[in-house]
Amino acid sequence: EVQFAESRGGLVQSGGSLKLSCAASGFALKNYAMSWYRQAPGKERELVAAISNGGAATRYADSVKGRFSISRDNAKSTVYLQMNSLKPEDTAVYYCNAGYYSAYFDYWGQGTQVTVSS
């Protein structure tokens, strides 16, 4: 059974930083590209960042380029999202999934709420 367990997000001030982690199970994470998504109230879920299975390639949404960094530890079956220079518009529920251009699994975890105050 595929499962994603996102770490607790939190409330941070504008300009602050936060690091999210996602522990994946039920599949061999090392064989899959992984990605982070987010969904803000009233908006569709959007891809934020993705990383290839070996970690050599990454891609980011234009809105987070230069501020967010995705990484992975295949030995721990965990994917990370380092978020710096946070803005109020980064406020959303963040999710992880497999895939590089789109979500590979239909299953989604509970996600984690990130709130950035101005």
Side-chain angles (χ1 to χ4, degrees):
E1 181 183 8
V2 171
Q3 290 191 337
F4 301 110
E6 295 92 354
S7 62
R8 179 176 295 183
L11 172 64
V12 297
Q13 290 187 335
S14 181
S17 297
L18 195 62
K19 186 172 184 177
L20 304 179
S21 64
C22 169
S25 60
F27 65 102
L29 182 137
K30 64 180 181 179
N31 295 332
Y32 291 81
M34 293 295 295
S35 47
W36 282 94
Y37 290 77
R38 69 185 181 187
Q39 186 167 22
K43 295 187 177 181
E44 293 187 355
R45 190 162 2 202
E46 63 172 347
L47 190 147
V48 174
I51 186 167
S52 60
N53 62 332
T58 57
R59 60 189 297 261
Y60 298 91
D62 288 342
S63 58
V64 306
K65 279 181 182 177
R67 300 188 298 119
F68 288 15
S69 178
I70 187 171
S71 61
R72 63 191 295 158
D73 186 335
N74 287 343
K76 296 182 179 180
S77 293
T78 301
V79 183
Y80 304 95
L81 185 68
Q82 176 68 48
M83 304 183 292
N84 299 325
S85 302
L86 283 162
K87 304 175 181 180
E89 50 263 45
D90 294 319
T91 295
V93 178
Y94 285 72
Y95 304 85
C96 66
N97 205 312
Y100 196 72
Y101 294 103
S102 61
Y104 187 83
F105 294 109
D106 291 333
Y107 168 81
W108 294 89
Q110 291 187 334
T112 186
Q113 176 69 49
V114 173
T115 302
V116 184
S117 62
S118 57

